Amino acid sequence: MGFAAVMVVGLGTVVAARGTYSGLPIIGGRPTSDQTPGATSPEQVARLVRDHGCWTRSAPPDMAGRIPGHVVLTVRGDDGPVTTYAGARWVGPALAHVFEGGHPEVLHVHAFCR
């Protein structure tokens, strides 16, 4: 899966899930199956990508050269893997994971979002 190259300026955001990992908060959002540890499915990921207008390959023209504001990813949570739509604090670790192989708490980056 390829993503358009983006320069990372900072690591700031919040994730809608539960728990913490490595000091990065995964904080409460509305309780949905999207935030249930271990409940990742292709349908769940597709729904999050669709509902939040995300992309899985090259960034859309209006986002070219800009840092995404959100991400759909699976991370290690206190109770197991959590797949969620996450805010800016997770964009930096997600970009580093995709482009540099860093941040082992990020298990899978599914898509980037506005």
Side-chain angles (χ1 to χ4, degrees), residues 1-83:
M1 162 182 342
F3 292 99
V6 179
M7 186 171 105
V8 179
V9 175
L11 301 178
T13 55
V14 178
V15 177
R18 295 181 287 247
T20 61
Y21 183 85
S22 201
L24 294 173
I26 305 173
I27 64 168
R30 58 191 164 89
T32 69
S33 61
D34 295 335
Q35 300 163 353
T36 303
T40 301
S41 71
E43 295 81 17
Q44 171 194 12
V45 171
R47 185 176 64 252
L48 287 169
V49 170
R50 181 191 66 241
D51 289 354
H52 297 287
C54 305
W55 61 91
T56 59
R57 302 215 184 281
S58 296
D62 68 315
M63 289 301 295
R66 297 176 58 197
I67 296 175
H70 297 85
V71 62
V72 174
L73 75 169
T74 300
V75 295
R76 289 188 179 115
D78 293 339
D79 298 325
V82 177
T83 297

